[in-house]
Amino acid sequence: MIRLGVDVGGTFTDLILIHEETGQSWVHKVPSTPSDPSEAVIRGVTEICETAGIQPSEIDQFFHGTTVATNIVLEHNGANVGMITTEGFRDILHIARHKRPYNFSLYQDLPWQKYPLIARRHRLVVPERVSADGSVLIPLDEEKTREQVRKLKEAKVDAIAVCFMFSFKNPAHENRVKEIIQEEFPEAYLSVSNEILPQYREYERFSTVALNAFIGPKTSRYIKRLKDTLIEMGVDTGVHLMQSNGGIATAEVAVEKPISLLLSGPVAGLIGGIKAAKNSGFDNVITLDIGGTSADIGVAPNGEMRMRHLLDTRIGQYNAMVPMVDIDTIGAGGGSIAYVDEGGIFRVGPQSAGAAPGPACYNQGGTVPTSTDANVILGRIHPESRLAGSMQIVPELSYQAFDEHIASKLNMTTVDAAAGALKIMTHNMVNAIEMNSVRKGYDPRDFTLVAAGGAGPLFSCDIAEELNIPFVVVPPYPGITAAMGLLATDIAYEKVNTLWASLTHPDVPKIASVIERLETESIAALKADGIADDQIMLRRVCDCRYAGQGYELRVDAPDGEMNEEWVKEVIQRFHQVHEREYASQFPDQEVVAINVRVIGVGLVKSDKEQAFVNQPKENFSANAYPAYPVYFWIRDQLQKVKTPFINREDVPVGTTLSGPAVIQQKDSTTLLPPDCTARFDVYGNIVIDIRKKIEKKFEIFASISN
């Protein structure tokens, strides 16, 4: 079987091709094409197939991660959207939850008002009303509905969102409006709330459905164009796209519900990091994926991805109440700009030099200092290095940028300024990891740090030392970890329904009937994608809370027959989750299930683990490589140490290296500090042991305290 993973980033499009029968793999990077991301994908597919000596038609599985949907939201360039909603609820999207980003500012732009997903003139109402129990209070006025749809057609909107009150209890009115729109305005992209999010909380539901309509036309056109072009090339296996929930969706499902793609790329990076760590024998994982602009941080206890609370799932400032893996992103990357602010404080990021003009050393017009320039000054990126395999750097420009913007202003040497910039950036990432681990009840000392992205392996050992993390795992191709993650997941769809039923005093047949219906829908969706019965797996989830609480927690429910014992087990699991989240539980309180969910999983990923195939250099010796001066922090002092620069592809599997060393490859550079050892395992991972370095740090602290 030949499997291809393609991840589209802001700067590069990454590809990995695996031939499972031979155990061979190929990686490739091409510049992204923001105006039409499919151009870079097609070019990358063509070139990697040529390199591997295969025809595109030989590809058996095609997996894709994309930032298209996310970029539409962040750049505010989505569709011209209209809305049909219940009379009296036209301004829910404007009012939102009355939350103000800045509590004491009299003059502030609320993002959902400054950049509305749907202009007020296009939010039209019709007479209809369904009660909270699903009964019809006011019948749908079909004639008025046709009139409003015609107005939206005259206004030349691209998409229409349909959102009625309590339609998750009774979708009849929304379904009839959908039929009318298809009769009157069939070319409009449709986003209907009972199909997108049949769940309570009116603002979040309205926002999610509007957001789906906002990104729908552009995203669906991109997916269809990519799919058609691949078919012309002979790739008829279908396009499978990474979703925010960590599962894969077919192109057809992604076209109908593009909002599920909003965290496509970062989630694939977390999955790739989990797989790399698992191959090396580590279960508890913290992934750090550092690119050119940002760093994505994920925490996976026992190798399991955590899901965000549905009221915290946002893109930009817009609520998107769809399942999302819990990943934090901060402005820290290779292009992060170092500067002295107006108060004289030395800062790094979140502003970035981006890909153009990029860091000063790129010699593409950039004049401000960046973290990449700091690594050049400290010798961690050698002047003869070619970034991404082809870009020649100019170190003199890095020195000039730090001299002019940092060193001269703070009366320090250029080297100290560069070291300070990396210290600040490291501290920012340490804080972000602590926010995502320690403050959520996890001890980083029990985890392994996976260094991904082009810049991740440069910072990973320093970050691990600060957090007392004993091991760092660097995957075979750190810069394309997200593309690798695409090949390590399955098709997954999540069906949800608002239940609002007591578990303490349960109506078991009612609960069972709703879950069974969701299971039937999940199985039907997977079979429509061609998944066989023996490849289908179902998971049940209940969103529970104590009676009187305002927010619920996500609880995995057991398999098997749904009876009173099953309900008692759900209650017990909820108490445990509440204890974990809030350090307290209340066994005597009534427990309510607000929503029930069924996650249908279609098993498509390969469980065949691939040993790393490389052609190492005969009689390999680290001492045979040229050594250059590199700055390291040793016993809390910045010291210059002669360090060998080693090509990763030359190192045989099973080799152990002692630091210091710099390990170079096309897509990344790994920094191995003094007092650390690196082992190259059979899966191509570099497993770095930094326990000795941590011990020496504590020895320094002990000597100071004495």
Side-chain angles (χ1 to χ4, degrees):
M1 180 176 287
I2 298 176
R3 313 174 77 226
L4 177 64
V6 184
D7 179 62
V8 178
T11 305
F12 288 103
T13 294
D14 304 327
L15 302 96
I16 180 168
L17 183 71
I18 293 179
H19 195 304
E20 292 194 341
E21 279 68 28
T22 64
Q24 292 177 286
S25 60
W26 296 265
V27 299
H28 190 47
K29 297 173 82 76
V30 297
S32 294
T33 49
S35 59
D36 182 1
S38 63
E39 292 180 8
V41 175
I42 297 303
R43 176 187 166 191
V45 171
T46 302
E47 292 178 0
I48 199 170
C49 286
E50 289 175 355
T51 302
I54 67 167
Q55 295 297 318
S57 58
E58 296 180 64
I59 296 172
D60 296 300
Q61 291 182 344
F62 186 100
F63 297 93
H64 184 32
T66 176
T67 57
V68 169
T70 307
N71 291 341
I72 292 171
V73 179
L74 298 180
E75 295 169 9
H76 307 291
N77 61 1
N80 183 20
V81 184
M83 173 178 269
I84 302 291
T85 189
T86 306
E87 198 169 53
F89 293 88
R90 179 184 191 185
D91 291 319
I92 280 181
L93 284 176
H94 183 85
I95 298 168
R97 288 287 178 187
H98 282 299
K99 291 182 178 178
R100 297 160 57 88
Y102 307 102
N103 286 335
F104 302 106
S105 173
L106 297 178
Y107 303 96
Q108 59 179 304
D109 287 321
L110 302 177
W112 56 89
Q113 294 179 1
K114 183 176 182 180
Y115 301 104
L117 295 171
I118 306 176
R120 191 172 193 272
R121 63 183 177 277
H122 294 155
R123 299 198 298 265
L124 306 183
V125 299
V126 296
E128 75 84 38
R129 190 62 190 268
V130 173
S131 70
D133 62 6
S135 59
V136 176
L137 297 179
I138 301 174
L140 173 68
D141 186 331
E142 295 193 13
E143 193 56 42
K144 181 66 174 179
T145 300
R146 289 187 185 277
E147 180 185 329
Q148 301 291 49
V149 171
R150 289 166 185 161
K151 285 183 179 178
L152 292 177
K153 185 175 183 178
E154 291 173 3
K156 298 182 179 179
V157 301
D158 305 304
I160 298 178
V162 181
C163 243
F164 289 160
M165 294 299 293
F166 296 107
S167 59
F168 55 88
K169 284 290 188 179
N170 182 351
H173 288 177
E174 281 192 353
N175 292 339
R176 180 57 185 143
V177 171
K178 178 181 177 180
E179 293 173 354
I180 292 172
I181 294 173
Q182 290 172 335
E183 294 168 6
E184 297 285 344
F185 193 4
E187 58 270 30
Y189 182 91
L190 267 176
S191 181
V192 183
S193 81
N194 74 81
E195 298 175 351
I196 303 301
L197 188 68
Q199 190 174 329
Y200 95 114
R201 295 189 190 278
E202 69 275 5
Y203 166 64
E204 287 78 10
R205 179 162 57 92
F206 276 50
S207 176
T208 303
V209 175
L211 199 57
N212 190 74
F214 186 70
I215 65 176
K218 280 190 176 182
T219 305
S220 60
R221 284 197 296 269
Y222 163 72
I223 294 172
K224 290 175 181 176
R225 184 166 59 247
L226 175 62
K227 182 182 176 182
D228 291 345
T229 307
L230 287 170
I231 290 174
E232 292 174 5
M233 295 172 63
V235 183
D236 58 1
T237 182
V239 179
H240 294 79
L241 296 106
M242 175 60 72
Q243 301 178 96
S244 304
N245 66 358
I248 291 288
T250 61
E252 291 74 18
V253 172
V255 165
E256 294 175 4
K257 196 175 177 181
I259 197 167
S260 65
L261 306 178
L262 288 175
L263 278 184
S264 184
V267 172
L270 174 59
I271 294 172
I274 292 172
K275 181 177 176 62
K278 181 181 178 182
N279 284 343
S280 295
F282 300 101
D283 293 325
N284 291 337
V285 176
I286 296 174
T287 59
L288 178 67
D289 189 341
I290 307 177
T293 301
S294 62
D296 298 321
I297 297 162
V299 178
N302 298 315
E304 297 291 333
M305 294 181 293
R306 295 177 303 147
M307 304 300 290
R308 284 185 185 171
H309 191 288
L310 283 175
L311 294 182
D312 294 327
T313 51
R314 295 184 181 87
I315 292 295
Q317 291 294 326
Y318 302 109
N319 281 76
M321 202 162 60
V322 292
M324 289 186 185
V325 173
D326 192 1
I327 294 176
D328 283 347
T329 300
I330 64 170
S336 292
I337 296 171
Y339 64 101
V340 179
D341 69 14
E342 294 179 358
I345 304 298
F346 191 179
R347 300 186 184 276
V348 181
Q351 300 88 348
S352 174
C361 64
Y362 282 14
N363 195 23
Q364 293 182 349
T367 59
V368 293
T370 67
S371 66
T372 296
D373 295 305
N375 276 306
V376 170
I377 292 170
L378 297 184
R380 300 174 178 188
I381 299 176
H382 191 262
E384 296 180 4
S385 298
R386 291 186 178 272
L387 303 183
S390 60
M391 185 180 294
Q392 181 68 54
I393 62 174
V394 183
E396 293 79 9
L397 296 177
S398 296
Y399 281 90
Q400 182 179 324
F402 265 94
D403 278 338
E404 179 182 348
H405 294 279
I406 306 295
S408 61
K409 293 182 178 180
L410 297 179
N411 193 27
M412 59 197 312
T413 68
T414 307
V415 170
D416 285 340
L422 295 188
K423 275 281 189 183
I424 293 169
M425 189 167 166
T426 298
H427 180 70
N428 291 342
M429 288 186 279
V430 166
N431 281 346
I433 292 175
E434 287 179 338
M435 288 279 288
N436 215 17
S437 59
V438 176
R439 298 192 186 188
K440 295 181 180 180
Y442 300 102
D443 188 339
R445 294 173 295 184
D446 298 330
F447 285 72
T448 295
L449 183 66
V450 177
L458 274 170
F459 290 89
S460 57
C461 289
D462 290 337
I463 291 170
E465 180 187 2
E466 290 289 328
L467 292 165
N468 299 325
I469 297 174
F471 294 99
V472 171
V473 172
V474 181
Y477 310 108
I480 62 161
T481 302
M484 293 176 64
L486 291 168
L487 304 183
T489 191
D490 296 307
I491 291 178
Y493 300 130
E494 185 165 315
K495 303 291 183 178
V496 60
N497 197 188
T498 293
L499 181 67
W500 212 302
S502 173
L503 296 181
T504 306
H505 310 289
D507 181 345
V508 177
K510 177 183 177 183
I511 297 172
S513 67
V514 174
I515 293 178
E516 287 168 357
R517 176 173 58 80
L518 296 178
E519 289 180 337
T520 300
E521 292 176 3
S522 298
I523 292 172
L526 291 168
K527 285 188 174 181
D529 289 338
I531 304 299
D533 287 340
D534 60 352
Q535 293 177 295
I536 293 177
M537 182 178 67
L538 300 176
R539 283 179 50 214
R540 300 164 178 169
V541 175
C542 293
D543 296 343
C544 301
R545 60 163 114 165
Y546 291 117
Q549 279 187 316
Y551 304 101
E552 51 277 356
L553 295 174
R554 190 178 172 106
V555 179
D556 288 326
D559 297 326
E561 182 184 355
M562 286 170 280
N563 50 30
E564 290 190 1
E565 291 302 315
W566 182 90
V567 173
K568 289 178 181 178
E569 177 63 21
V570 174
I571 292 174
Q572 184 59 35
R573 293 187 182 189
F574 167 68
H575 290 318
Q576 294 169 358
V577 171
H578 198 279
E579 175 79 31
R580 175 88 192 177
E581 191 76 16
Y582 299 116
S584 63
Q585 59 174 283
F586 307 95
D588 297 332
Q589 294 294 313
E590 181 183 2
V591 177
V592 181
I594 304 300
N595 305 305
V596 289
R597 305 172 185 275
V598 170
I599 303 169
V601 179
L603 304 176
V604 296
K605 73 180 180 185
S606 172
D607 290 326
K608 182 178 179 181
E609 296 294 351
Q610 298 289 324
F612 185 66
V613 179
N614 71 333
Q615 297 178 343
K617 196 171 185 178
E618 293 184 7
N619 303 318
F620 170 81
S621 172
N623 295 328
Y625 289 82
Y628 304 98
V630 177
Y631 286 91
F632 294 95
W633 290 96
I634 302 175
R635 300 190 69 84
D636 214 27
Q637 297 291 325
L638 190 63
Q639 298 182 28
K640 186 161 52 174
V641 183
K642 269 212 160 186
T643 304
F645 278 62
I646 301 167
N647 297 326
R648 181 168 183 171
E649 62 268 22
D650 294 346
V651 184
V653 168
T655 300
T656 298
L657 293 178
S658 296
V662 174
I663 304 163
Q664 301 180 111
Q665 60 191 102
K666 181 178 179 180
D667 61 311
S668 187
T669 299
T670 301
L671 183 70
L672 182 66
D675 299 319
C676 297
T677 59
R679 175 173 53 86
F680 292 71
D681 71 15
V682 68
Y683 296 108
N685 296 325
I686 304 176
V687 180
I688 302 175
D689 186 341
I690 69 166
R691 289 176 294 183
K692 184 177 179 181
K693 188 173 180 63
I694 293 172
E695 289 173 6
K696 287 198 172 185
K697 177 182 70 173
F698 283 113
E699 289 174 5
I700 295 172
F701 291 158
S703 64
I704 293 173
S705 62
N706 291 331

